[in-house]
Amino acid sequence: MSRTVLIGSQWGDEGKGKIIDVLTANVDWVVRYQGGNNAGHTVEIGDQKYVLHLTPSGILRDNCKCVIGNGLVVDIIGLMDELTDLAKRGIEFGDRLFISDRAHIVLQYHKELDGAKEGQLGDDKKIGTTQRGIGPAYSDKVNRTGLRIGDILEDDFLDQVKTRAQTKNEELACMGAKPLDIDELLVTVKEAADYLRPFICDTVPLLHEAVVNDDEILFEGAQGVMLDVDFGTYPFVTSSNTGAGGAPAGSGIPPNAIDRVVGIVKAYTTRVGGGPFPTELHDEMGAHIAKVGNEFGATTGRPRRCGWFDGVVARYSAMVGGINEWALMKLDVLDAVETIRVCVAYECDGERLDSVPASIRKLERCVPVYEDFKGWNTPTTGCTSWDELPEQARKYVQYLEDLTGVKVSILSVGPQRSSTLLLDR
Ligand code: GDP
Ligand code: IMO
Ligand code: MG
């Protein structure tokens, strides 16, 4: 049995939802450990498409218990809406969803503040957040002023919300933003609190018992290492630790209980929102990848910026994340590309760099050093085994393995469950 962490290893949207869903056929638990409903994880099963924001992607398999861990910031109204929608679509989760009483709550005022803060920044400084209140909610957590999911169980919960909403309204007014109608807020908060109450519990002993029982556990990362608040392109990052290190902190599972880390990477790179992106393509090739890859944000619908595979980013993520193996996604999107470029290093101020610098000013000056790779010009989506893949596609995969020093164990050639190759070479 194993405890596996799956992490995004670029700037998010690598295909984490799909891989979690593929792997959950034989898994007992799926645990989200950071982020909030800034995440959008897509799972396509037959003609059904699900986009999950807070609910762990294991919810779509009856055999799987799902935990929303202490490390998340939970928009309780958003979660209620998401679960109501899943229930309408026939998904039953009454006895297999557990929400940590230590997770923090996101309320409407966090979202308003998120928007107001972004509005105050100039165009080149805007982070391009998802406006889901993530930064302000994590700020409250570290400021020790946040409300936690467990507070829902206290008699004075609504009074606590009211007091905070009054303070936040003052803050909003100072920023020139419209204050919230507190009575209206309390009505929706009460509805969400009532709906979520049965799912709230102390998930720490629950997961501890799962470890003792040697259950199979998957930890579902959100975002990606380059959006990590410590290791990403700060300040153009999200507000949590997105890498494997976030899993113990955000779930209460001990670090030595984790025995495998799978990094999810696309065969190219995308990013939504602001911030440096050395291999970004501003030409027809970028538009081609965006179109074939259907690169639009699953949460905000914004077009994703597209570029070539960045080996510096992948090596750095593997180093920071302790990645044992790759799930390489969306290889099919490159099927018709004649010459594929791969960034093997950066050049900056006359110096060659093999790792991602901390300074984004420096990263903005980095020019990718590319190696060119002949494409395969054959569809890969129908391929069901390594041997069926076009030879050039196999060479591309092996090339990325050599470049990053990490083997590909899962290869994805389409959005469906069935378009997934578990490689055993
Ligand atoms: P996540 O946030 O990491 O879960 O990724 P998203 O769901 O935001 O974005 C990934 C998108 O790529 C989704 O629309 C998936 O359905 C789609 N997808 C996943 N794997 C593949 C693949 O191998 N090929 C293609 N063409 N699409 C894929
Ligand atoms: P999944 O889990 C891609 C980006 C935003 C913005 C920055 C900060 O689907 O991969 P935030 O709202 O978190 O304060 O925004 O992070 N971002 C994502 N980009 N995928 C995500 O999640 C993201 N979650 C946040 O676009 O640049
Ligand atoms: Mg996504």
Side-chain angles (χ1 to χ4, degrees):
M1 287 297 172
S2 76
R3 267 88 54 181
T4 304
V5 185
L6 284 103
I7 55 171
S9 308
Q10 293 159 324
W11 277 280
D13 302 327
E14 297 87 353
K16 298 173 288 291
K18 171 183 162 163
I19 292 305
I20 292 279
D21 173 66
V22 167
L23 297 182
T24 40
N26 304 308
V27 155
D28 304 298
W29 299 84
V30 174
V31 183
R32 273 280 307 267
Y33 58 86
Q34 44 72 231
N37 57 358
N38 47 351
H41 295 180
T42 314
V43 180
E44 292 193 26
I45 308 165
D47 62 355
Q48 293 293 307
K49 180 170 167 176
Y50 300 88
V51 181
L52 302 161
H53 301 285
L54 276 159
T55 318
S57 300
I59 206 76
L60 304 173
R61 304 259 198 187
D62 294 342
N63 56 297
C64 199
K65 294 189 267 284
C66 292
V67 173
I68 295 180
N70 56 278
L72 276 88
V73 287
V74 180
D75 172 348
I76 55 174
I77 292 159
L79 180 58
M80 174 181 67
D81 291 346
E82 193 173 328
L83 292 173
T84 310
D85 189 47
L86 285 170
K88 272 195 209 136
R89 295 178 72 178
I91 309 294
E92 289 176 17
F93 47 80
D95 56 353
R96 59 188 184 92
L97 175 69
F98 306 91
I99 308 172
S100 168
D101 50 7
R102 292 179 172 86
H104 275 252
I105 294 179
V106 178
L107 290 173
Q108 187 60 33
Y109 50 71
H110 292 117
K111 295 195 228 177
E112 301 292 335
L113 285 166
D114 197 348
K117 278 176 66 182
E118 283 275 278
Q120 288 185 332
L121 297 169
D123 274 351
D124 58 332
K125 296 232 163 48
K126 273 193 197 352
I127 294 166
T129 73
T130 58
Q131 309 228 351
R132 295 298 187 271
I134 305 300
Y138 276 116
S139 300
D140 278 0
K141 173 178 172 171
V142 293
N143 265 335
R144 296 161 293 181
T145 54
L147 275 172
R148 303 203 294 179
I149 290 287
D151 291 321
I152 288 176
L153 307 177
E154 305 288 345
D155 292 339
D156 65 348
F157 175 60
L158 290 179
D159 294 333
Q160 296 264 19
V161 173
K162 190 173 177 180
T163 315
R164 280 169 180 78
Q166 282 161 344
T167 313
K168 297 296 183 188
N169 265 353
E170 286 167 21
E171 233 178 283
L172 283 167
C174 285
M175 296 172 92
K178 202 170 145 245
L180 290 174
D181 180 325
I182 297 182
D183 290 334
E184 233 171 66
L185 174 78
L186 291 177
V187 171
T188 50
V189 166
K190 182 175 182 316
E191 189 194 353
D194 290 343
Y195 181 89
L196 296 178
R197 199 169 283 119
F199 303 106
I200 301 172
C201 64
D202 186 350
T203 53
V204 174
L206 207 65
L207 286 176
H208 179 75
E209 200 182 312
V211 171
V212 171
N213 290 343
D214 215 9
D215 286 353
E216 187 91 19
I217 309 176
L218 283 184
F219 293 88
E220 177 175 2
Q223 291 83 51
V225 172
M226 297 309 292
L227 289 170
D228 184 285
V229 68
D230 285 284
F231 301 109
T233 45
Y234 191 90
F236 295 93
V237 292
T238 191
S239 302
S240 63
N241 283 121
T242 57
S251 67
I253 196 164
N256 59 359
I258 291 164
D259 40 37
R260 181 179 168 215
V261 182
V262 178
I264 322 279
V265 278
K266 281 176 181 163
Y268 49 95
T269 312
T270 63
R271 170 163 209 170
V272 207
F277 178 1
T279 62
E280 182 169 13
L281 288 162
H282 297 281
D283 56 7
E284 274 172 28
M285 183 52 70
H288 171 81
I289 293 174
K291 184 160 177 263
V292 179
N294 192 23
E295 294 295 356
F296 293 93
T299 296
T300 57
R302 290 177 292 175
R304 296 175 182 146
R305 300 154 65 189
C306 296
W308 297 119
F309 187 89
D310 187 333
V312 182
V313 161
R315 272 197 308 260
Y316 174 76
S317 289
M319 180 172 69
V320 170
I323 290 168
N324 304 107
E325 46 199 274
W326 295 125
L328 182 64
M329 312 298 293
K330 300 190 108 165
L331 189 72
D332 55 298
V333 175
L334 300 182
D335 281 352
V337 178
E338 214 143 289
T339 305
I340 300 167
R341 310 198 86 184
V342 176
C343 166
V344 295
Y346 300 146
E347 241 171 43
C348 185
D349 308 333
E351 199 192 345
R352 186 179 162 109
L353 292 185
D354 291 311
S355 186
V356 181
S359 153
I360 53 157
R361 294 212 177 119
K362 192 163 180 183
L363 187 59
E364 271 158 1
R365 292 198 303 276
C366 282
V367 178
V369 178
Y370 284 118
E371 280 186 14
D372 288 352
F373 202 90
K374 191 170 168 293
W376 42 94
N377 224 356
T378 321
T380 54
T381 295
C383 295
T384 55
S385 72
W386 176 250
D387 293 336
E388 264 181 56
L389 288 169
E391 192 189 353
Q392 268 307 105
R394 290 199 301 257
K395 281 192 180 159
Y396 182 64
V397 174
Q398 285 164 334
Y399 178 76
L400 298 187
E401 292 181 325
D402 292 343
L403 179 68
T404 56
V406 176
K407 285 270 180 202
V408 175
S409 64
I410 303 170
L411 186 62
S412 178
V413 289
Q416 293 284 330
R417 270 181 187 169
S418 52
S419 308
T420 318
L421 280 62
L422 302 180
L423 303 181
D424 186 13
R425 287 165 295 153

